[in-house]
Amino acid sequence: MFTIGRNIDRKKDSRTRAGSEGQLLRAFISLSLALIATALFATSAYAHGFGQRYDLPIPLDYFLIGAVAAVALSFVVLGAFVRRTHSDFGYPRLNLLRLPVVGSTLRSPYTSFTIRAVSVGIFLLLLATGFAGTNRPIENLSPVFVWIIWWVGMGYIAALFGNLWMYVNPFRITFEWYRALRGHGDEPEEPPFQYPKWLDAWPALLFFFVFAWAENVYTDAQRPMTLAVMVSLYSLITWAGMAAFGKHVWLRNAEAFTVLFGIFARFSPTEIRARDRRICRRCSSDCGGESECVDCHECFELSSDSERELNLRPYAVGLVLPTRISLAAAAFVVFALATVTYDGLQDTQAWSSLRTELTSVTSVDVIDTAALAAAPLAFAALYIVFCWGVRTASGDEASVGGVARGFVFSLVPIALAYNLAHFITLLLIEGQLIIALLSDPFGYGWNLFGTADYSIQRGVITAKAVWFISLAAIVIGHVVSVYIAHAIALRRSADSAAAMRGQLPMLTLMALYTASSLWIIAQPLVG
């Protein structure tokens, strides 16, 4: 999932409680044995982007067995100790806006203006370097910043710290400035068109597919001029959409990165709240029907300072909060997970060999495009099958689609974990290209800050460290997903034993994905 990384040296390289729990235990043991058997299919691991092989201290099979066992064990522990229902759910919060120094700094208009000005300045610089700079990717700021620093970095920031994108989004900022220049800055939005409800977030999914295609298939997307044209077209579409349907409506439903980073930020330790629920009556979303108004940026914007909260909270609770999840939003989560997995898979020798064989029938671009489209469809079908298992085992009265929507946020930590494991080398090693480009963003031979001659230091992280970070990230991510799925199951069922039974199919899916993710990460990069 990375055109620039791939083209810069191809990424550089109970019924009765006792009886029920006894059945559960027997099913769990059988399941664990089956999962362990599926893990026995790989034997070696390679470093990503180091140019050398890293031999694991023990066979990869053992790592896979241990990782699957850890995920399965977490299920047993959660079943034994976590039995709360939705009525018991709560979590600690600390409102940063009420802290003396921190709050005043965050509320300061000078802070806001500085952040927004820097964001728009970077946006304009990237367009300038794309159109007027050298067309050699590694000598131009635009592709390195967009494909590595912004794309990978913003995802990490959204998950680990909070939804920064909502505050630095240059499309939103420039649109707000335009309205202010027209004298409409403090007026409520009155868009000329009503956004069709049936469209939901499908436009965002479509735009994200195009973005993923540009990353994985369209090799010219690395070229600065081409990238600048793509960014300009997307900017025009976004500005037109906000003007036609309203800023928040378009961002919430059609701006791909607002949707994606908003989903990632549900895992983060920060949230925004609007305490006055009367504000929700003026909101264009359906947040008025939720039990709490959390992470609704429209209501937050409409609220007075005294009614706003910017809270610290435990990680991942945003994924457990009861909320209505549309089919489009669920599809977006599945697509995001499937595409990042496909990106890793296409760097393996197995995929390279298959693609070579298929080139006798059609072109590489057609093969990669078809695979990119097929990957989320295949994963969605697999997910639906396991959700049918959840519904059958738990006796959930909802439809299979309802179960799938209800549990889809439990997949988010998996996507985040794989994202970290897959891209950490790219960010830490290829990301160093930005140091030289700060002095020569256009590729004209400048040396503005004395860093133009900086060379990439590959020793910043070792192959061994990359493997163990990846291993830890994937296992922890899947364990967190098991917890979230369990919490959701308890909320959906008053019977904890039924909830546990229903989680066996979901556990199977997650454990299988644990093993397959580690196998993909361990394979050599091709190129």
Side-chain angles (χ1 to χ4, degrees), residues 77-110:
V77 174
L78 288 170
F81 295 102
V82 181
R83 300 177 181 273
R84 295 184 302 175
T85 63
H86 68 284
S87 60
D88 304 312
F89 186 77
Y91 57 96
R93 302 191 297 268
L94 174 64
N95 187 1
L96 298 177
L97 298 179
R98 295 293 174 263
L99 299 181
V101 177
V102 175
S104 59
T105 301
L106 292 173
R107 291 194 304 267
S108 171
Y110 300 105

Side-chain angles (χ1 to χ4, degrees), residues 19 27 53 85 151 182 203 240 263 277 357 400 456 475 485:
R53 173 178 173 138
T85 63
W151 172 231
R182 295 280 309 266
I263 292 171
R277 295 307 305 277
E357 294 180 6
V400 175
I456 290 178
V475 173

